[in-house]
Amino acid sequence: MSLTVELFDLPAHQFRVFWGASGSMWQSLWNRFLDLTGDNPLALWTVGSYVYTSLIYWSIGLVYTLFDVTGRPGFLRRYKVQPGTNEPVDASRLRTVIRQVLFNQFCTGFPLLFIMYYLLPAHTRDN
């Protein structure tokens, strides 16, 4: 095997080693999750996807929003793309943006998850 093939295979090899060492842990966590939530594919696809993506979005967004609202830590200001813009953040505009994002996520994103579930081929969504 050439060195080039071995270098390209390195990430896949590392993943196989990681999964082999911890695969049973991930499977047992998934099984516990299914014991708590049930095994309904529609609920897992729609509610599960919505909750997961919303948690990721809002946890990361909250950190950046806190940076903008508080101005702390100060050393991060040098990385701001548009320094001086929206400083300080206008509270009423921030509330308007948060309401709009929540509306978009719930009134657009959530119904689209239901539609996409039914548009997926049956063999994809039932597995």
Side-chain angles (χ1 to χ4, degrees), residues 32-48:
R32 256 191 263 157
F33 175 76
L34 289 179
D35 288 342
L36 290 172
T37 61
D39 194 9
N40 180 347
L42 175 63
L44 286 173
W45 174 267
T46 54
V47 177

Side-chain angles (χ1 to χ4, degrees), residues 7-71:
L7 286 176
F8 283 120
D9 192 45
L10 187 61
H13 172 72
Q14 293 299 325
F15 179 75
R16 283 191 297 272
V17 168
F18 169 78
W19 190 259
S22 62
S24 59
M25 177 196 71
W26 292 113
Q27 186 63 50
S28 70
L29 286 173
W30 178 249
N31 290 342
R32 256 191 263 157
F33 175 76
L34 289 179
D35 288 342
L36 290 172
T37 61
D39 194 9
N40 180 347
L42 175 63
L44 286 173
W45 174 267
T46 54
V47 177
S49 296
Y50 179 78
V51 168
Y52 176 75
T53 56
S54 294
L55 283 174
I56 298 296
Y57 178 87
W58 285 105
S59 59
I60 293 171
L62 182 63
V63 171
Y64 285 115
T65 302
L66 286 174
F67 288 158
D68 275 343
V69 169
T70 64

